Amino acid sequence: GQNIDQPTEMTATEGAIVQINCTYQTSGFNGLFWYQQHAGEAPTFLSYNVLDGLEEKGRFSSFLSRSKGYSYLLLKELQMKDSASYLCAVRDSNYQLIWGAGTKLIIKP
Amino acid sequence: TAGITQAPTSQILAAGRSMTLRCTQDMRHNAMYWYRQDLGLGLRLIHYSNTAGTTGKGEVPDGYSVSRANTDDFPLTLASAVPSQTSVYFCASSDGDGSYNEQFFGPGTRLTVL
């Protein structure tokens, strides 16, 4: 079967750095996405990785290792507005997205 | 720019009744999707459409039907609602299905079936 694993919840301090991990087992791989979802709102796109390595976009970076079936999202200089759920999704061989359950990130002052 | 709109925002529905959730996008995206999101589970694909006139089944299609008469609209119908269909429903669209194309999401419809 297909499976995406993420921690259920993480807590971090404002101004700090946090790394959210995602491991996957899917039928085929055509890219990995990270989305942010604030409570009661729709998911919004953060990053995309299809090749191994690090993609940096401002305070957010995403890393991929296809051989290990592993990705992480790195958030730097955390702000209170970063409190949200972070969703990892893999596009499989049918080009459909398989979603993890999301990681709820709580930022404390 | 409106992007994707969904209606209604929320609804309480009696079991056995039918209902259509509406989804409209103004981005001229080819592909559209319906997901349900339940606590503790990832988004699950119900149905999708790669282009107007075609539809396909996702991971959890039973009890749901869709149509794609034109590019902009992708309604989701529950023929006879059951309590297990209580969920938050998101419609999404993307500009194609074979390359790097992020999905844009509507605001969601919160459905409660009693």
Side-chain angles (χ1 to χ4, degrees), chain B residues 6-65:
Chain B
Q6 292 184 236
T9 301
S10 64
Q11 182 75 43
I12 299 174
L13 187 66
R17 301 296 294 269
S18 67
M19 178 173 182
T20 295
L21 280 61
R22 300 185 297 279
C23 175
T24 300
Q25 53 107 355
D26 64 1
M27 298 175 283
R28 309 302 295 173
H29 284 170
N30 288 325
M32 296 187 75
Y33 313 85
W34 274 106
Y35 292 96
R36 58 178 290 171
Q37 187 174 39
D38 302 291
L39 195 63
L41 300 177
L43 288 161
R44 291 184 291 169
L45 183 65
I46 303 170
H47 285 285
Y48 65 94
S49 169
N50 289 331
T51 188
T54 68
T55 62
K57 294 181 179 181
E59 179 186 358
V60 289
D62 294 344
Y64 306 94
S65 64

Side-chain angles (χ1 to χ4, degrees), chain A residues 7 13-14 21 26-27 34 36 40-41 54 56 65-66 68 75 82 98 102:
Chain A
T13 304
E14 189 178 15
N21 296 325
T26 57
S27 56
W34 283 96
Q36 181 188 59
E41 297 183 6
L54 189 69
E56 297 186 81
S65 169
R66 289 172 295 170
K68 295 182 179 179
L75 291 74
D82 297 330
I98 309 300

Side-chain angles (χ1 to χ4, degrees), chain A residues 35 37 42 45 91 96 99-100, chain B residues 35 37 42 99-100 102-103 106:
Chain A
Y35 280 75
Q37 185 177 24
F45 170 78
R91 187 155 54 195
Q96 299 299 345
W99 296 80
Chain B
Y35 292 96
Q37 187 174 39
S99 58
Y100 161 37
E102 65 183 276
Q103 292 186 10

